[in-house]
Structures are given as structure tokens and as C-alpha cells.
Amino acid sequence: MALPQLSLLRGDLTTQVVDVVVNAANSSLLGGGGVDGAIHRAAGPSLRQHCRTLGGCRTGQAKITPGFDLDASWIVHTVGPVWRGGHNGEEELLASCYRESLALADEVRAASMAFPAISTGVFRYPTIEAAKVAIDTVTSTPTKVAAIVFVAFNDETWNAYHALLTAR
Ligand code: ADP
């Protein structure tokens, strides 16, 4: 299986024109701050109504919904780990978020998807460590998704991905 083409963009996930956008959700799936709040605002109230029926989501797992008012057809909601020093399974749980998101994108036959830097905001995962997990996992997980965009919302995130992607 061919590897997906990776790209990096400085911007807002909610305006991406891709088949799937990934939401860094919390376990309630009912919306929160950061990228989660931005996605719920942009997708409209039907997203919250739909999410109420899903029964939440565990850390490291993912669930898929329609994109509602987004340009994207689908939203994969995944719950990243809260950083607690790095010895509490954080790396494996974060990798699982990327794997499960790719698997759900494959189920809906997505060709393109966009990821935020899961767990690096309120959940405090160190940006460079999280970027390594993101890039390593999407390049080692078999998928039919052809194009993956990492969307960096701030300079620190963009710099971390840029350094790692150009070093590959
Ligand atoms: P988490 O709870 O998983 O840490 P956050 O939403 O707090 O989730 O942060 C995850 C990342 O998403 C951070 O790098 C944050 O800067 C970024 N972010 C926040 N808003 C947006 C947005 N609209 N588009 C893309 N990334 C965003």
C-alpha cells in the first residue's frame, strides 16, 4: 500500500476542504475548548445533537460523525491522553488516536484528511514529542488515505512538524 502524502499547513482545521477532519475531543464528545469548540461552532448544533447519541469515547479511541456544516464530509472525534509526565501510557494512547482515526477514515473511503496536534493544547502533551508520534504513526499504519494534512494552529506546532518532516 502506498504511503499517504503528508503536508503541513499553518491555519484553522475547521476550514479545511478534505474528506475527514479529526477533532481532538474530550471523552464526553459534547464539545469543549480549543479545536473541539471551534469544530462544534463551525459544524453547527446538529453535531452536538448527534454526539449525544454516541455515549462518549474512551481515551485513545475514536468515533465518526457527519461533518454537518463543515466543508469536510466527516469528523473523526478522538480523545487524546492528558500528559501526566510521560510514564502513564501517553505515547501508546496518542498513537492509538492516530491509528483509530485512520481506520475510521478508511471505513468511509476517505482520500484526504486533516489532523490537529492532538493532546498538545489543554492536555499538555509536549509539542515535539506529540509531533513525532503523529508522523511516526501515520507513516507506519496501513491506510488507503492518500493525503494527510497536519494543521498547525500556532508557530510552535508548525516549527515542530516542519523540523521533523524535513528531517525525514
Ligand atoms: P487537547 O485537549 O487534545 O490538548 P486542544 O484543542 O486544547 O486539544 O489543542 C490541540 C491542538 O489544537 C493545539 O495545538 C491547539 O493549538 C490546536 N488548535 C486549537 N484550535 C485549533 C483550530 N481551530 N484549528 C487547528 N488547531 C487548533
Side-chain angles (χ1 to χ4, degrees), residues 24-40:
N26 61 49
S27 55
S28 75
L29 296 185
L30 297 180
V35 71
D36 194 10
I39 285 177
H40 274 266

Side-chain angles (χ1 to χ4, degrees), residues 16 21 28 48 61 63 70 78 97 102 123-124 148 152:
Q16 298 306 306
V21 296
S28 75
R48 195 161 191 275
Q61 298 186 353
K63 293 194 175 175
L70 293 186
T78 188
C97 288
L102 288 165
F123 287 178
R124 302 184 315 273
I148 292 177

